Amino acid sequence: MSVTVRLPTPLRSAVGGERTIEVDANDLASLQREIAARYPELGARVLRDGAFGRFVTVFVDGEDARFLEQNADLSTAKVVEILPAMSGG
Amino acid sequence: MTTTLEEITALRGLRCRACGALQPADERYICGECLGPIEPEYDLDIFDAETLRVDIERGPASLWRYAPLLPVAPPTSHWPVGWTPLIEAHRLGDALGIERLYLKDDTRNPTLSFKDRPVAVALARALELGLDTIACASTGNLAGAVAAAAARNGLRAFVFVPADIEPEKIASAAAYGATVVRVNGPYDAVNRLCGRLADEYGWGFVNFTLRPYYAEGSKTVLFECAEQLGWTLPHHIVVPVGSGALLTRQATAANQLRATGLVPESHFHIHAAQPAGCAPVSDAVLDNWRPVEPVRRPETLAKSLAIGAPADGDGSVKIVRETRGSAASVSDDEIREAASLLATTEGVLVEPAGGVVVATAKQLASRGVFHAGETVVLYLTGNGYKGGPEETALGPVIAADADAFRLAYEEVLA
Ligand SMILES: [Zn+2]
């Protein structure tokens, strides 16, 4: 099952300038594994010990991935977005 | 007058807090290596403490008096942001059992919140970069600050807010001419939208693409407290936590004040104040300094602090721990009661976030955190005229008649 991953500008250089990449994954765990295997440069920047690091926020169809289980089903997900952390108020 | 910054630039570059890489002050807003947050770093050795102190004291009555310790040149036309009063609060202190209590009244900024400070610095940076549009995601106060600063500088502004924030905040941002976009969902959803839009438009999102500069403006709150206390740090500050940028930058400010020799070494504790309905930082502190767990659906009267996934959350927990501070998470009832106590003892009207701070101070005092003779400063960051907790319980409307008055207000007169 292929998932569309949308990347912010500062990350695009890690995947040859693409805005989005297609990754074969059924759940978060396999998404992280596939990124590490197929896009090692991207993986080096967004993954820490195999999981998404604390300085990026990952959204699955708008839901913060930190609220999802590692085995959450991604088969119906339309888009996964990776964003750097933001300040606020 | 101070021309220090134009002559001496102390800015070395921006250092990544995650991987430590130092990068030039160009258009980047996150670490090019690891996406971590980057922060301005200064060469503080170039300053002579006495000269710097005199320069600051002769500077403008605004946050730009601290320009040598900010990452941008001060704009040519100053807007009176900052240099707000530090008020001794004996009556509130008596009520809370705090001997030497002060209020840092940041409700008196141009748009009635401390957000005018970070925006002043972000806007100066936007002008340096030649941007024509600034934008933000906001829980309300930042929206007004961005809208007003854009108006004053002839820039276009887009502000994105959760649809359920105080109508006064939406109306005032719109009155300054900004395009106010109300978004369904919590603040974190608004932030996500802005992250996406920042990629598509070249706007200066103050809390995102200008964040390293934006956050620096918050240091000036402590710079002022120290100067107003005769160039010494208070022993305790109680700081409201939304994104955590304000809290973490108070530690940066304390380090810079000490490193430049502006203040002597002293013990200084930073305490975090959050509402129970959205307390990811306070909960982490009180649960033995565990990592921050985001709050999915924040629900609190203190809407300006309703940020479930704070960007500087873990950073805030670390700072509270390092300064041997503490935290509290307070209920909506405690917030209302504390805001009312502040208004009725000191004549200062705050938005609910201020109630969160006062209620936190009350809890800390009862836990014995403050010792005799120690100075305690409460950060009051938003004004009650922008939408207080709720309508105060009012008495009945009466006819213009003295007897009607006596009858209706019998209880109060007794
Ligand atoms: Zn880094």
Side-chain angles (χ1 to χ4, degrees):
Chain A
M1 194 60 71
S2 172
V3 181
T4 301
V5 179
R6 173 177 281 280
L7 301 170
T9 312
L11 277 180
R12 289 180 194 153
S13 62
V15 295
E18 299 296 322
R19 266 168 192 275
T20 60
I21 53 172
E22 298 294 322
V23 181
D24 281 325
N26 326 310
D27 56 20
L28 276 178
S30 60
L31 176 66
Q32 290 161 166
R33 275 199 308 274
E34 279 296 299
I35 287 177
R38 287 190 46 215
Y39 301 95
E41 204 183 321
L42 177 64
R45 294 166 77 181
V46 301
L47 300 173
R48 294 290 172 273
D49 303 323
F52 289 116
R54 293 192 78 82
F55 292 119
V56 294
T57 312
V58 177
F59 296 95
V60 177
D61 287 341
E63 182 77 70
D64 192 324
R66 285 171 292 193
F67 297 120
L68 304 175
E69 301 294 333
Q70 283 292 310
N71 62 2
D73 183 14
L74 294 189
S75 60
T76 58
K78 291 193 183 65
V79 67
V80 172
E81 278 180 289
I82 301 181
L83 289 173
M86 276 172 266
S87 206
Chain B
M1 293 306 285
T2 149
T3 51
T4 321
L5 193 83
E6 288 89 326
E7 287 157 21
I8 310 165
T9 167
L11 186 65
R12 245 187 224 147
L14 288 92
R15 171 111 34 210
C16 176
R17 232 168 47 217
C19 75
L22 185 68
Q23 18 230 321
D26 54 19
E27 291 179 17
R28 74 188 81 184
Y29 53 93
I30 49 173
C31 176
E33 305 292 322
C34 78
L35 303 191
I38 53 177
E39 283 178 17
E41 183 171 284
Y42 304 83
D43 187 3
L44 300 175
D45 293 339
I46 65 169
F47 295 113
D48 167 68
E50 197 45 44
T51 312
L52 180 59
R53 188 178 298 128
V54 169
D55 277 353
I56 289 171
E57 287 173 356
R58 284 184 191 154
S62 76
L63 57 73
W64 294 111
R65 65 204 280 111
Y66 306 105
L69 298 173
L70 293 173
V72 288
T76 43
S77 90
H78 285 167
W79 205 24
V81 172
W83 198 238
T84 58
L86 182 72
I87 306 164
E88 283 193 78
H90 299 295
R91 278 167 48 73
L92 180 64
D94 286 347
L96 300 181
I98 302 172
E99 197 183 313
R100 295 181 64 197
L101 183 66
Y102 292 85
L103 309 174
K104 182 56 175 166
D105 187 2
D106 239 30
T107 72
R108 302 200 206 182
N109 274 303
T111 69
L112 309 185
S113 91
F114 89 103
K115 291 292 184 191
D116 288 318
R117 297 175 186 270
V119 168
V121 179
L123 192 109
R125 180 60 179 167
L127 294 174
E128 282 179 0
L129 293 171
L131 302 177
D132 62 6
T133 303
I134 57 170
C136 68
S138 174
T139 54
N141 285 326
L142 183 55
V146 162
R152 182 160 170 90
N153 289 275
L155 303 185
R156 191 166 61 140
F158 287 86
V159 302
F160 297 83
V161 296
D164 69 348
I165 64 165
E166 296 90 339
E168 294 89 341
K169 290 181 177 171
I170 293 173
S172 57
Y176 293 123
T179 300
V180 180
V181 183
R182 289 173 293 164
V183 180
N184 283 318
Y187 175 75
D188 299 291
V190 181
N191 236 348
R192 179 169 54 81
L193 169 64
C194 289
R196 171 74 177 273
L197 295 177
D199 252 8
E200 295 179 19
Y201 302 93
W203 303 339
F205 276 84
V206 299
N207 52 331
F208 186 41
T209 59
L210 297 169
R211 180 176 171 219
Y213 299 86
Y214 165 89
E216 287 285 287
S218 295
K219 294 188 310 192
T220 60
V221 185
L222 190 69
F223 290 164
E224 290 177 17
C225 291
E227 184 176 352
Q228 288 162 325
L229 289 169
W231 293 111
T232 180
L233 290 173
H235 296 107
H236 302 270
I237 59 174
V238 183
V239 184
V241 177
S243 74
L246 175 62
L247 186 143
T248 53
R249 279 11 174 245
Q250 302 317 292
T252 312
N255 292 338
Q256 292 177 354
L257 287 166
R258 291 180 181 128
T260 49
L262 286 169
V263 300
E265 288 296 328
S266 60
H267 66 103
F268 170 62
H269 310 280
I270 303 179
H271 306 283
Q274 290 202 299
C278 184
V281 168
S282 289
D283 287 349
V285 167
L286 296 171
D287 192 6
N288 207 18
W289 316 102
R290 64 158 166 75
V292 166
E293 286 165 16
V295 173
R296 194 173 201 160
R297 305 244 178 278
E299 211 152 319
T300 167
L301 193 65
K303 295 183 196 299
S304 63
L305 302 180
I307 298 180
D312 286 306
D314 286 308
S316 296
V317 174
K318 182 166 172 273
I319 295 292
V320 170
R321 185 173 201 175
E322 283 172 0
T323 66
R324 290 180 296 121
S326 188
S329 115
V330 297
S331 70
D332 281 359
D333 282 345
E334 288 174 278
I335 295 169
R336 279 190 202 95
E337 193 187 307
S340 163
L341 181 67
L342 173 66
T344 55
T345 55
E346 298 294 341
V348 177
L349 192 64
V350 291
E351 66 166 38
V356 173
V357 169
V358 175
T360 292
K362 185 179 177 186
Q363 278 198 20
L364 297 177
S366 70
R367 279 192 238 148
V369 168
F370 311 130
H371 299 115
E374 292 182 337
T375 46
V376 179
V377 176
L378 308 187
Y379 278 31
L380 305 180
T381 52
N383 200 300
Y385 284 101
K386 292 175 102 173
E390 60 205 11
E391 272 183 54
T392 315
L394 294 175
V397 178
I398 56 166
D401 177 89
D403 287 333
F405 165 64
R406 275 188 282 276
L407 185 64
Y409 291 85
E410 212 177 344
E411 274 182 42
V412 189
L413 291 167

